[in-house]
C-alpha cells in the first residue's frame, strides 16, 4: 500500500499521534466512544471546491450522489455550496428536502421506483427523472397524468462500456440491470416523446463506480454523443446530458484522474459534436466528494495470534463498514499511535462471520486497547451500515478545526427495539 498520510484528507500526525484537523482521535474516542465515524470539514470543503471550480463559469451542474454519505450535516454543506442531489429512493428525497433542497436541485435515478416514490417526487417537482425502462416510463406517465402533472425525464442508456472496476459496482455493461439497452434507445425515446405527461429533457448514463482511468468516461461519452446525434436527426432535442458519477479515489495505490481532468476530457468530446456542444452537462459524483473526508475510528479489543494467522479483533465490524468484505476493498488503516514491533495481522470485527474483516495481512504493531483509524471511509461507510448482530450503528462526528459536532448520535438498543413488537401470549 503506498497511500500516505499526506494523501488522506484532514489527517496528520502530531508528536506521533493521529489527528483529524486539530482534534486528536484519542480525545474523540474518550468523548464519543468507538466505533466512530469522523468527518473532516476542511477535507470535504477541498473536494467541494474541486468540483465547484470544475463547473464554475459554465451552465454545468453537480448533483451529489447522496448514497455515498447521506448525513444531514454533510448534505447541508453540499446544498450551501450550490450542489444539487442525485437521489435513488424516497428516503433520499426526504433527506434532500429536509436540508432545504428544492425539486429543481434534484435528479432521481434508480431502476425500481415504486408508484409511491414517483408520486412523492412529482409532488416535489424534481428536476429530472432518470428513467431506466419502458414500464417505468409508462408508470411515470400514468402517475403524472393522475396528479395532473408533467414529468421531466431523461433516459439512462446503457452504453455497454467496461468501467474496469469491481463487478458489483460496474453498471454500464449490457448484462447489468441498469439503463436502457443502447440499441433500443432511439425507439424508447420515441415512445417517451409520445407519452402526454412526460417531457423528454435529457440523456443519462452511469457506467460504474471507483473508475480510476479516463478511458471509460471518454468511451461512454462518445457513445452517448453518437446517440444524441441519432436523436437529433430523428427530431428529438434534449436540454442536458447527465454523465453520472463514478470517479474513483485513492485507497491504496490507485491514481485516479482529478475531477478537472475528467471534466476536461468529457468536455472536449462534447465540444466536437454540434448537436451536443451547447448542452449543459450534469455530473453525479458521490465517492470522489466524500471518501477521503471520513475515518472510522475503532479500538483493538483482543489480539489472537494463531498458528495460521494473527487476528487483531477490533470493535468495528462489517456492519459498520461493508466495503472490505463486499468488494474485497483495501482500505487504509493506521494506528493512532505507532509503536515498535510490527507483525502481520488480519483486522477483524466481532460479528459471527468469517467474512467479518476490515483488512487482511496488514503489518503494524498491534496492542490491546490501542486505537486504529480506517481512513478514506467517508463514502459508502455509514450509508451502508446495518444492525447485523443487533449492533447499534456508530455515531458520526464532524470536525471543523478544533470544533467537533456530533452529527449523528450513537444508536441504542432501545432505538432498535422501539420498531418491533411481540405477538400477544395465547
Ligand atoms: N449516479 C448513479 C446513477 C449511481 O448509481 C451512482 C453510484 C452514482 C451516481 C455515484 O457514483 P460514485 O461517484 O460514488 O462512484 N457501494 C459501492 C459503490 C456503489 C455505487 C452505486 N452507484 C462501494 O462502496 O464501492
Amino acid at each position: 500500500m503506498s497511500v500516505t498520510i499526506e494523501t488522506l484528507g484532514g489527517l496528520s500526525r502530531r508528536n506521533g499521534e493521529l489527528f483529524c484537523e486539530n482534534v486528536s482521535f484519542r480525545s474523540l474516542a474518550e468523548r464519543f466512544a468507538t466505533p466512530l465515524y469522523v468527518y473532516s470539514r476542511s477535507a470535504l470543503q477541498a473536494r467541494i471546491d474541486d468540483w465547484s471550480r470544475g463547473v464554475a463559469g459554465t451552465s454545468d451542474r453537480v448533483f451529489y450522489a447522496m448514497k455515498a454519505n447521506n448525513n444531514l450535516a454533510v448534505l447541508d454543506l453540499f446544498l450551501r455550496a450550490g450542489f444539487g442531489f442525485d437521489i435513488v429512493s424516497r428516503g433520499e428525497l426526504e433527506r434532500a428536502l429536509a436540508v432545504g433542497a428544492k425539486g429543481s436541485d434534484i435528479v432521481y435515478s434508480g431502476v425500481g421506483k415504486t408508484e409511491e416514490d414517483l408520486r412523492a417526487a412529482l409532488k416535489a417537482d424534481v428536476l429530472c427523472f432518470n428513467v431506466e425502462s419502458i414500464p417505468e416510463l409508462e408508470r411515470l406517465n400514468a402517475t403524472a397524468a393522475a396528479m395532473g402533472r408533467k414529468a421531466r425525464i431523461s433516459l439512462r442508456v446503457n452504453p455497454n462500456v467496461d468501467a474496469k472496476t469491481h463487478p458489483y459496482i460496474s453498471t454500464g455493461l449490457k448484462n447489468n440491470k441498469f439503463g436502457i439497452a443502447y440499441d433500443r434507445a432511439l425507439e424508447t425515446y420515441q415512445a417517451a416523446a409520445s407519452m402526454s405527461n412526460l417531457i423528454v429533457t435529457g440523456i443519462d448514463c452511469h457506467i460504474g463506480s471507483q473508475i480510476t482511468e479516463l478511458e471509460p468516461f471518454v468511451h461512454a461519452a462518445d457513445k452517448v454523443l453518437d446517440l444524441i446525434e441519432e436523436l437529433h436527426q430523428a427530431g428529438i432535442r434534449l436540454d442536458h446530458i447527465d454523465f453520472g458519477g463514478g470517479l474513483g479515489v485513492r485507497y491504496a495505490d490507485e491514481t485516479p484522474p482529478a475531477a478537472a481532468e475528467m471534466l476536461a476530457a468529457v468536455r472536449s468530446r462534447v465540444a466536437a459534436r454540434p448537436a451536443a456542444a451547447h448542452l449543459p452537462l450534469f455530473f453525479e459524483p458521490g465517492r470522489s466528494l466524500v471518501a477521503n473526508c471520513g475515518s472510522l475510528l475503532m479500538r483493538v479489543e483482543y489480539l489472537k495470534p494463531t498458528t495460521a494467522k494473527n487476528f487483531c479483533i477490533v470493535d468495528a465490524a462489517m456492519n459498520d463498514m461493508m466495503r472490505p468484505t463486499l468488494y474485497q476493498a483495501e482500505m487504509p488503516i493506521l494506528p493512532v499511535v505507532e509503536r515498535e514491533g510490527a507483525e502481520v495481522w488480519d483486522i477483524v470485527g466481532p460479528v459471527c462471520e468469517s467474512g467479518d474483516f476490515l483488512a487482511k495481512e496488514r503489518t503494524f504493531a498491534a496492542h490491546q486497547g490501542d486505537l486504529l483509524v480506517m481512513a478514506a471511509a467517508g463514502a459508502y461507510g455509514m450509508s451502508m451500515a446495518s444492525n447485523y448482530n443487533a449492533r447499534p450503528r456508530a455515531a458520526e462526528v464532524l470536525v471543523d478545526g478544533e470544533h467537533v459536532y456530533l452529527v449523528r448520535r450513537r444508536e441504542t438498543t432501545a432505538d432498535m427495539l422501539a420498531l418491533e413488537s411481540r405477538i400477544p401470549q395465547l
Side-chain angles (χ1 to χ4, degrees):
M1 304 254 298
S2 64
V3 70
T4 61
I5 195 158
E6 291 72 35
T7 64
L8 298 171
L11 303 194
S12 62
R13 225 174 248 294
R14 302 184 185 178
N15 296 325
E17 230 191 285
L18 202 60
F19 274 63
C20 177
E21 302 199 19
N22 296 331
V23 180
S24 75
F25 280 102
R26 185 178 34 80
S27 71
L28 289 170
E30 280 162 13
R31 191 164 156 204
F32 299 99
T34 50
L36 180 72
Y37 272 100
V38 180
Y39 306 127
S40 157
R41 181 173 183 178
S42 71
L44 195 57
Q45 194 60 48
R47 297 289 78 77
I48 287 178
D49 292 347
D50 282 348
W51 276 91
S52 299
R53 269 195 300 273
V55 296
T58 71
S59 47
D60 300 347
R61 290 191 67 181
V62 187
F63 296 85
Y64 165 57
M66 73 158 80
K67 62 171 77 70
N69 184 325
N70 61 29
N71 182 282
L72 294 183
V74 171
L75 299 185
D76 215 14
L77 293 174
F78 282 112
L79 190 70
R80 284 192 240 165
F83 285 52
F85 297 114
D86 169 52
I87 62 162
V88 288
S89 71
R90 198 152 80 245
E92 290 192 349
L93 172 64
E94 284 166 15
R95 281 178 176 270
L97 299 176
V99 294
K102 296 192 222 17
S104 54
D105 299 320
I106 297 170
V107 296
Y108 190 176
S109 304
V111 292
K113 306 175 188 90
T114 67
E115 212 171 294
E116 259 183 297
D117 294 337
L118 295 177
R119 265 200 300 273
L122 282 162
K123 186 157 168 269
D125 199 18
V126 299
L127 181 64
C128 192
F129 289 85
N130 293 342
V131 175
E132 305 218 13
S133 66
I134 290 180
E136 186 189 337
L137 277 180
E138 288 165 348
R139 179 181 272 178
L140 180 57
N141 186 47
T143 311
M147 292 173 69
R149 302 250 182 172
K150 297 219 179 217
R152 288 170 294 273
I153 64 126
S154 84
L155 291 187
R156 174 169 176 183
V157 296
N158 183 329
N160 194 24
V161 164
D162 187 357
K164 300 185 189 143
T165 183
H166 189 279
Y168 288 6
I169 54 175
S170 189
T171 53
L173 285 169
K174 65 181 175 197
N175 60 358
N176 297 136
K177 70 179 173 183
F178 297 100
I180 309 263
Y182 191 78
D183 49 10
R184 307 295 295 275
L186 176 59
E187 64 193 84
T188 312
Y189 266 101
Q190 282 162 334
S194 73
M195 295 187 193
S196 51
N197 288 74
L198 302 185
I199 306 168
V200 173
T201 64
I203 190 164
D204 169 38
C205 81
H206 170 79
I207 55 170
S209 197
Q210 184 54 9
I211 301 170
T212 54
E213 295 166 40
L214 280 180
E215 190 272 331
F217 289 110
V218 169
H219 189 184
D222 284 341
K223 294 200 75 175
V224 166
L225 292 163
D226 288 345
L227 260 183
I228 293 174
E229 286 179 345
E230 215 183 306
L231 293 172
H232 195 82
Q233 276 156 21
I236 295 172
R237 301 288 142 87
L238 304 178
D239 61 23
H240 72 263
I241 315 174
D242 184 337
F243 283 115
L247 187 61
V249 300
R250 167 175 266 202
Y251 290 114
D253 51 8
E254 305 91 331
T255 50
E261 279 176 82
M262 191 276 280
L263 291 171
V266 168
R267 283 198 182 113
S268 73
R269 312 307 275 206
V270 175
R273 308 284 190 116
H278 61 290
L279 295 177
L281 309 183
F282 291 3
F283 297 92
E284 303 169 354
R287 186 192 316 267
S288 55
L289 282 161
V290 290
N292 205 15
C293 314
S295 303
L296 175 59
L297 177 62
M298 62 193 94
R299 197 177 284 282
V300 178
E301 293 290 333
Y302 299 104
L303 296 182
K304 189 171 169 182
T306 73
T307 49
K309 280 221 159 214
N310 290 336
F311 294 105
C312 171
I313 303 172
V314 295
D315 61 1
M318 64 188 281
N319 75 296
D320 300 300
M321 169 43 86
M322 288 281 283
R323 302 199 70 258
T325 189
L326 194 55
Y327 314 112
Q328 297 75 51
E330 278 195 42
M331 312 285 294
I333 298 190
L334 314 167
V336 168
V337 174
E338 281 174 327
R339 301 179 185 243
E340 298 290 309
E343 286 172 280
V344 178
W345 297 93
D346 278 12
I347 303 170
V348 302
V351 160
C352 296
E353 297 221 18
S354 295
D356 179 27
F357 60 88
L358 298 173
K360 297 212 159 172
E361 299 185 356
R362 298 295 172 90
T363 305
F364 68 106
H367 280 261
Q368 190 168 353
D370 274 8
L371 292 166
L372 301 179
V373 164
M374 175 188 280
Y380 304 109
M382 185 62 179
S383 66
M384 292 178 76
S386 79
N387 291 125
Y388 189 39
N389 279 203
R391 287 170 54 82
R393 276 173 293 177
E396 295 171 288
V397 298
L398 182 90
V399 174
D400 182 6
E402 42 286 313
H403 300 289
V404 184
Y405 302 95
L406 178 65
V407 293
R408 190 180 202 269
R409 72 161 168 82
R410 187 172 300 284
E411 223 167 22
T412 63
T413 305
D415 291 329
M416 291 188 265
L417 295 187
L419 299 174
E420 297 172 35
S421 342
R422 297 152 76 200
I423 61 169
Q425 301 291 325
L426 292 178

